Amino acid sequence: MPHIALGSDAPGIRGLFAFRPETAHPLNALAEVLLRGDNTLSRGERELIAAYVSSLNECRYCYSSHAAYAAAQLPEGMTLVDQVRADLDSAPITPKMRALLRIAASVQRGGREVSEEQITAARAEDATDMEIHDTVLIAAAFCMFNRYVDGLATFAPDDPESYAARAERIVSHGYLALFAEMQAATGRS
């Protein structure tokens, strides 16, 4: 049961967005740029960063959501997402992605945990400054999103299919389009 009356039965951050659309729009815009905008990292890779950080933060709703979004956009699907979550060192990902996920894990522990050695290692695997920047920002943003969702004790469905169904819509339409749909459905702007 959420700590506050949201006036919606929508799970996780969606219920919070319905409660306060004035803050929801900029948060969705940030997610749209970070996770779907032009980038040399694929959308699936960026969603994997979001899912990995959410897993480290033990945010069940955000992990389940972004794991499904990553799986829908990665050729290896949920199998790869599960492997990364279980053991980053043995997961079948590129050395560059492993280096970036290590940076993301450091951000999750605290921004000052990111070391020059980690940055050097990522660059040695051909990570660009933009990829390093966006990895740090995705990790930082998802720490905020995770704390927002869990800090207000939102509901997280148990059924993985509910997340997979939402993933199809996110992949097809994006975060801002679904936010606009929610606003239209609730009659709020």
Side-chain angles (χ1 to χ4, degrees), residues 40-111:
T40 51
L41 293 175
S42 74
R43 289 177 177 177
E45 289 170 328
R46 288 176 280 159
E47 289 285 1
L48 183 61
I49 295 167
Y52 186 63
V53 169
S54 297
S55 172
L56 295 173
N57 282 324
E58 299 178 11
C59 182
R60 190 164 62 97
Y61 178 81
C62 293
Y63 171 74
S64 298
S65 297
H66 293 279
Y69 305 165
Q73 297 176 89
L74 293 168
E76 306 86 351
M78 190 57 81
T79 300
L80 180 62
V81 176
D82 289 340
Q83 290 171 317
V84 167
R85 183 182 194 194
D87 184 5
L88 179 60
D89 292 330
S90 68
I93 56 175
T94 66
K96 177 172 85 172
M97 197 65 205
R98 191 177 333 281
L100 292 173
L101 287 167
R102 285 188 178 125
I103 290 170
S106 290
V107 171
Q108 181 270 335
R109 290 189 303 275

Side-chain angles (χ1 to χ4, degrees), residues 168-180:
E168 291 176 28
R169 297 185 68 221
I170 289 290
V171 170
S172 299
H173 303 293
Y175 293 93
L176 286 173
L178 292 182
F179 173 68

Side-chain angles (χ1 to χ4, degrees), residues 142-161:
F142 273 84
C143 286
M144 176 189 65
F145 291 140
N146 299 160
R147 285 157 179 78
Y148 182 35
V149 166
D150 286 344
L152 287 167
T154 64
F155 166 71
D158 291 324
D159 181 14
E161 287 305 311

Side-chain angles (χ1 to χ4, degrees), residues 34 41 49 53 100 103-104 106-108 111 114 119 129-143:
L34 289 176
L41 293 175
I49 295 167
V53 169
L100 292 173
I103 290 170
S106 290
V107 171
Q108 181 270 335
V114 178
I119 301 300
D129 285 352
M130 182 69 77
E131 291 169 339
I132 293 167
H133 171 277
D134 287 2
T135 295
V136 170
L137 187 51
I138 291 166
F142 273 84
C143 286

